[in-house]
Amino acid sequence: MERTFLMIKPDGVQRGLIGQIMTRFEKKGFKLVNAKLMTVSRELAEKHYDELKEKPFFGELVDFITSGPVFAMIWEGNNVISVARAMMGKTNPADAAPGTIRADFAVSVGMNVIHGSDSPENAQREIDLWFNGEAISYDKTIAKWL
Ligand code: IDP
């Protein structure tokens, strides 16, 4: 069973979108296995976005992610990494397909509401970085219907 790291960014928290976004993943049939509201240090933000450190927008991105609380989550399910990315939509909300989270809730590439791991390697790295690898293992009785 696959796990991914998802994070509602400061804009999503400020705009009161946590519940609506979580509902989409719950309704899809994925299982929440850890979650926390937290402030992000510059050190954590820089480690998280390490692959982007040469990009011209890196400083702006770190400023944004540390500007207010984020809601960090681990979700579990079949193909959850790629399916969650599809549900989020393209990075730039202007290019995201209608019905995706970024298309439905965001207008700018900087404030695009949600982060999701883009590969199994990054999912493991981000789960370790944000949650020290910790998640709750439990069964849902509905699982056989999904
Ligand atoms: P992703 O979040 O869809 O995986 P990445 O390329 O990993 O996209 O970029 C990380 C985040 O950096 C994006 O979600 C977006 O908020 C921000 N970002 C990406 N490109 C730009 C840009 O050109 N200007 C400002 N922010 C950007």
Side-chain angles (χ1 to χ4, degrees):
M1 192 55 76
E2 200 170 84
R3 286 179 173 169
T4 195
F5 171 74
L6 302 182
M7 173 190 37
I8 301 175
K9 296 181 181 182
D11 54 331
V13 173
Q14 291 295 328
R15 292 173 55 207
L17 298 175
I18 296 173
Q20 289 184 68
I21 292 172
M22 291 184 85
T23 296
R24 291 187 177 211
F25 293 102
E26 287 188 307
K27 279 185 170 170
K28 176 72 176 168
F30 291 135
K31 184 161 73 174
L32 184 66
V33 295
N34 214 340
K36 58 183 170 185
L37 184 72
M38 59 184 284
T39 51
V40 184
S41 66
R42 289 194 79 82
E43 187 190 359
L44 176 57
E46 285 170 4
K47 274 191 196 154
H48 174 74
Y49 282 122
D50 187 59
E51 285 176 351
L52 300 175
K53 62 173 182 274
E54 306 303 331
K55 300 278 186 190
F57 57 83
F58 183 71
E60 198 183 313
L61 180 58
V62 172
D63 287 346
F64 169 57
I65 289 296
T66 56
S67 66
V70 303
F71 194 71
M73 301 164 279
I74 306 174
W75 288 85
E76 184 179 287
N78 284 334
N79 300 311
V80 67
I81 298 170
S82 60
V83 175
R85 292 280 298 183
M87 290 168 67
M88 287 161 47
K90 295 227 169 105
T91 305
N92 187 342
D95 300 328
T100 61
I101 292 166
R102 284 165 168 172
D104 291 355
F105 296 128
V107 293
S108 74
V109 68
M111 295 197 189
N112 61 3
V113 173
I114 187 166
H115 165 84
S117 309
D118 62 4
S119 67
E121 296 70 31
N122 276 336
Q124 191 58 56
R125 186 182 73 85
E126 292 168 6
I127 287 168
D128 289 343
L129 184 62
W130 290 80
F131 285 95
N132 210 11
E134 285 167 29
I136 310 289
S137 292
Y138 65 105
D139 292 325
K140 284 183 135 180
T141 54
I142 190 116
K144 65 179 179 180
W145 302 105
L146 295 169

